[in-house]
Amino acid sequence: VGEVDLTASGATRSWGIPPDVRWANVAFAALFTVLFNFIEPICSLVTHACYVLAWKWLAVGRLRPGTNVMRSRRALFAYAILRRLVEAPNWARILELLDGTAWLGALYRALGAKVGRQVLIGGLFVVEFDALTVSDYVGSGSSSRANACDAEGVVAPIRLEAEATVGNSAALYPGCSVGRRAVVGNDTVICADR
């Protein structure tokens, strides 16, 4: 089946494969392993982002302020799946990867949020993207949440006015508005005036 090549340095098996082909196979295997370990997670994240975009626009649709997500079983099911997709670990990795870049603002725009110019979104967690309005020059810290859906399932707008800053782990609740140049501290809860 194979040949045995006895050289001066000792006995080796060549199996009839030339040495240059063997090294090409080893190099290809090493390159494939490196690329697979690098590209596969990125493909997984891109696929998850596509799932979120597709489900948002094909199943949930636009969630305008005043919309009740519990208006029907189908609407509640679609909203619950969107929430699950956004709470998944892959979505957190996407937010971490795009944290502080213009790409995160572009992704939120694609999902229906109104995002201004030169906005630094640092991992702001949102499910009701359509209810979020972020004006120009706004910055948000990591692990912040904007929850635009109240206990009855009614979506209310959340506004961040120009040059506002939202600290780390802040929580913004339905109907709240952060004024121009306002600073929301770390671990702060902002509710609507009622």
Side-chain angles (χ1 to χ4, degrees):
V1 174
E3 302 174 9
V4 175
D5 183 19
L6 299 174
T7 61
S9 63
T12 60
R13 291 186 178 203
S14 68
W15 301 100
I17 301 172
D20 56 338
V21 174
R22 279 185 282 166
W23 281 110
N25 288 345
V26 170
F28 175 76
L31 182 65
F32 178 78
T33 303
V34 169
L35 288 178
F36 181 77
N37 289 334
F38 177 72
I39 291 175
E40 190 273 332
I42 292 174
C43 290
S44 174
L45 296 180
V46 169
T47 303
H48 191 84
C50 290
Y51 286 156
V52 171
L53 280 163
W55 190 260
K56 163 71 173 89
W57 291 114
L58 297 176
V60 177
R62 188 167 295 277
L63 289 173
R64 291 189 171 88
T67 303
N68 189 336
V69 297
M70 292 191 265
R71 65 186 177 276
S72 68
R73 288 182 183 172
R74 184 208 164 281
L76 182 59
F77 173 76
Y79 176 77
I81 296 296
L82 177 65
R83 184 174 267 302
R84 286 288 177 119
L85 285 170
V86 171
E87 289 174 348
N90 272 352
W91 189 255
R93 285 189 208 106
I94 291 169
L95 293 182
E96 185 179 321
L97 185 66
L98 300 178
D99 189 4
T101 66
W103 291 103
L104 189 55
L107 178 62
Y108 278 14
R109 275 188 208 100
L111 288 164
K114 292 167 264 333
V115 179
R117 293 175 297 147
Q118 295 187 3
V119 171
L120 177 71
I121 300 175
L124 180 67
F125 178 82
V126 183
V127 175
E128 305 84 7
F129 297 95
D130 301 306
L132 180 66
T133 302
V134 181
S135 300
D136 299 339
Y137 311 111
V138 170
S140 75
S142 63
S143 303
S144 299
R145 296 181 68 90
N147 184 12
C149 190
D150 65 10
E152 289 83 34
V154 177
V155 177
I158 294 178
R159 293 190 52 82
L160 301 175
E161 299 294 333
E163 301 175 21
T165 303
V166 177
N168 294 331
S169 302
L172 307 174
Y173 283 103
C176 77
S177 180
V178 177
R180 181 177 174 86
R181 293 188 175 184
V183 177
V184 176
N186 296 339
D187 299 318
T188 305
V189 175
I190 304 293
C191 298
D193 296 329
R194 294 189 186 212

